[in-house]
Amino acid sequence: MPKFVGLMTFPRDAESTGEAPESGIDRYFAWQEELRASGRLIAAAGLDPESRVVRAGTITDGPFTEASEIVAGYLVVEAADLDEAAKLFETHPIAVDGVGMFVVSEIALELDTPREEHLSRFERS
């Protein structure tokens, strides 16, 4: 079954929903456990806000200061297609509450994907 990553993003100036943090965490863990029990949750991780931007031989503090949103974490799920994956992420408490959003994409290449398949993705041979 195809795998999809959901990049969890928040506006830099996100305000509290007024909900106690414990309630949101409890709802997240319930959501996560439901997906885990169904065998669809492959991975999940929160990211530290401190980061580095690496580009063309330079390393700077990141993320970009002009960015309006930050990537706070990611989840990997299995789903039949992109629409089904999006529907799974639509039920995540952060999406339900509207405090953040997910950018969902299919994982097209993995660690042991053959070189030829990498090249074919870029239409090179």
Side-chain angles (χ1 to χ4, degrees), residues 10 12 45 50 53 58 70 85 88 95 98:
F10 290 97
R12 270 192 187 278
E50 183 177 347
V53 175
T58 62
I70 59 169
L88 290 174

Side-chain angles (χ1 to χ4, degrees), residues 9-87:
T9 66
F10 290 97
R12 270 192 187 278
D13 56 356
E15 294 187 22
S16 171
T17 62
E19 176 180 36
E22 297 84 21
S23 175
I25 293 294
D26 290 343
R27 290 174 44 233
Y28 164 69
F29 278 118
W31 179 89
Q32 184 185 64
E33 186 52 40
E34 183 179 326
L35 277 186
R36 190 178 287 189
S38 72
R40 300 182 101 168
L41 183 63
I42 306 301
L47 303 177
D48 190 294
E50 183 177 347
S51 62
R52 300 290 180 269
V53 175
V54 179
R55 181 187 328 181
T58 62
I59 301 174
T60 59
D61 289 343
F64 298 112
T65 56
E66 67 272 9
S68 62
E69 295 176 335
I70 59 169
V71 178
Y74 69 91
L75 297 106
V76 177
V77 300
E78 286 185 335
D81 56 31
L82 182 58
D83 290 333
E84 183 179 78
K87 287 185 186 310

